[in-house]
Amino acid sequence: KAGVTQTPRYLIKTRGQQVTLSCSPISGHRSVSWYQQTPGQGLQFLFEYFSETQRNKGNFPGRFSGRQFSNSRSEMNVSTLELGDSALYLCASSLEGISYEQYFGPGTRLTVT
Amino acid sequence: KQEVTQIPAALSVPEGENLVLNCSFTDSAIYNLQWFRQDPGKGLTSLLLIQSSQREQTSGRLNASLDKSSGRSTLYIAASQPGDSATYLCAPDAYNAGKSTFGDGTTLTVKP
């Protein structure tokens, strides 16, 4: 069974631009969660989508948004990029949410200059 | 709010040693607790998941225990190898949080 895939793997953007990251979960998984990882803050939860609906949200500004499609693939968008948005963005899929085992993708490394 | 602490932050051992990594959490109302490893610049690899009703789980040289009442979990690695060098993270999933909360991890170095 294929694992979680994320595209692109690396991205360089300029302050003020916007970016869209993509995550394809394991086949049959309906829950996708997004996390931001930085050296200073560790792994922080952004949001979780289940059956095309945002079910949980972390403490991030409205510049961070996401969506999930009917095939469970998910996208995350960051608008008006700031230098502090430079991070490794990880998505995780699970069958139905946090009470199930989570499987992570390789991440997208975003650098904002 | 769930808070997760992992001790020690870093650990360096010679190859072949048995070792224990510790994880403590403040909210014991959890569905489960998952242990991951992360290699530098990479995603997280799931190692073990312990359901809240379980006391321990084993996979090969790894054994994880859970004491929900005291808010503690340990990851025991037997006969460590250089390939075990990585950062190990624990993540309890609390009912009230609706999400996994991660510790800062323990960075393990196993020297040949």
Side-chain angles (χ1 to χ4, degrees), chain B residues 21-101:
Chain B
L21 308 182
N22 297 290
C23 170
S24 62
F25 48 94
T26 55
D27 184 350
S28 61
I30 61 173
Y31 290 111
N32 56 49
L33 185 143
Q34 202 165 350
W35 281 93
F36 298 89
R37 73 171 275 169
Q38 185 176 30
D39 295 288
K42 302 289 181 65
L44 277 64
T45 301
S46 176
L47 296 173
L48 289 163
L49 178 139
I50 313 177
Q51 299 285 356
S52 62
S53 58
Q54 297 176 312
R55 298 281 297 187
E56 64 178 69
Q57 274 282 12
T58 298
S59 176
R61 295 182 294 109
L62 305 179
N63 176 275
S65 68
L66 175 64
D67 184 344
K68 208 172 63 162
S69 61
S70 67
R72 292 181 183 178
S73 178
T74 61
L75 179 66
Y76 174 82
I77 303 177
S80 58
Q81 303 171 356
D84 295 331
S85 298
T87 296
Y88 291 80
L89 299 126
C90 70
D93 292 334
Y95 298 144
N96 296 327
K99 61 180 176 70
S100 298
T101 303

Side-chain angles (χ1 to χ4, degrees), chain A residues 45-101:
Chain A
F45 173 78
L46 281 154
F47 29 65
E48 182 216 1
Y49 284 86
F50 179 80
S51 292
E52 302 179 65
T53 301
Q54 187 181 88
R55 188 158 67 173
N56 288 298
K57 189 177 189 308
N59 296 323
F60 278 81
R63 300 185 297 107
F64 292 81
S65 63
R67 59 177 175 169
Q68 186 179 34
F69 301 94
S70 58
N71 62 358
S72 293
R73 189 176 71 84
S74 177
E75 287 182 348
M76 187 192 115
N77 185 274
V78 188
S79 62
T80 319
L81 283 166
E82 301 177 359
L83 294 178
D85 297 332
S86 295
L88 181 65
Y89 289 88
L90 295 161
C91 83
S93 80
S94 69
L95 272 172
E96 305 225 343
I98 66 165
S99 58
Y100 294 80
E101 189 166 5

